[in-house]
Amino acid sequence: MEPELVAARRRARGVLARYNATAEEEQDERAALLRELLARVGRYAWIEPPFFCDYGSNTSVGERFYANTGCIVLDSAPVTIGDRVLFGPAVQLLAATHPVEAELRAQGLEYAAPIAIGDDAWLGGGAIVLPGVTIGDRAVVGAGAVVTRDVPADTVVAGNPARVIRPLEEAAT
């Protein structure tokens, strides 16, 4: 409830309200609002409305990033998304969390840990990424997975909690 954090969330909600109210044909306005909201927006990056985040200023997205509808980013800590990353609908990146002890939660304590997603990763619809997780380059996260720990590059993970299902096959040469 620090005043500067409240003001930053209020600013983000104002930009998000405008963004989520844009019409399909207002592509230039959407792009401008994303640049206003987020810390970094790579070329050809796109997030389909509706979109929600806490601050925006803690989120950086790379070149050709695409998020389908219903994306949620709780960016109380830095959230960094690489180039050519794809999100299915309703993906959630949750950098914010609270203490497990009830007495500490009752004090209103919150903390956060960064989330990083490498280049060419794909997160299926409804995937949830928890605080402090890094997802490696080219990793695939199955639809509905709950990612509680780091995902190695070049792997497919799925489940709750997400587990490595298999390595990605090497490209034929």
Side-chain angles (χ1 to χ4, degrees):
M1 300 324 266
E2 296 293 324
E4 63 273 8
L5 296 177
V6 171
R9 287 191 302 272
R10 185 173 293 125
R11 179 201 72 83
R13 297 236 166 67
V15 176
L16 285 164
R18 295 189 338 252
Y19 183 80
N20 290 328
T22 58
E24 187 66 26
E25 57 274 3
E26 295 179 288
Q27 304 294 310
D28 292 341
E29 177 67 9
R30 284 184 184 172
L33 288 167
L34 276 183
R35 288 190 304 273
E36 179 182 340
L37 178 65
L38 303 180
R40 177 182 178 273
V41 179
R43 288 181 317 143
Y44 309 113
W46 197 253
I47 301 173
E48 297 288 349
F51 170 56
F52 177 83
C53 64
D54 278 338
Y55 298 98
S57 58
N58 290 328
T59 298
S60 298
V61 301
E63 310 287 314
R64 299 185 185 277
F65 166 69
Y66 176 81
N68 211 320
T69 62
C71 182
I72 297 173
V73 179
L74 301 186
D75 60 343
S76 297
V79 173
T80 306
I81 301 167
D83 296 336
R84 300 167 307 280
V85 172
L86 301 174
F87 286 1
V91 166
Q92 299 179 47
L93 306 181
L94 310 176
T97 190
H98 300 276
V100 294
E101 299 83 6
E103 300 81 29
L104 295 176
R105 278 196 316 276
Q107 296 173 26
L109 296 178
E110 178 183 68
Y111 56 96
I115 293 174
I117 300 174
D119 295 339
D120 301 298
W122 173 27
L123 280 64
I128 299 172
V129 180
L130 298 185
V133 168
T134 295
I135 296 175
D137 293 343
R138 298 167 303 282
V140 176
V141 176
V146 178
V147 185
T148 62
R149 60 186 141 205
D150 291 353
V151 174
D154 300 305
T155 58
V156 177
V157 301
N160 180 3
R163 292 178 176 76
V164 173
I165 303 300
R166 66 178 177 87
L168 290 174
E169 305 297 326
E170 288 193 31
T173 55

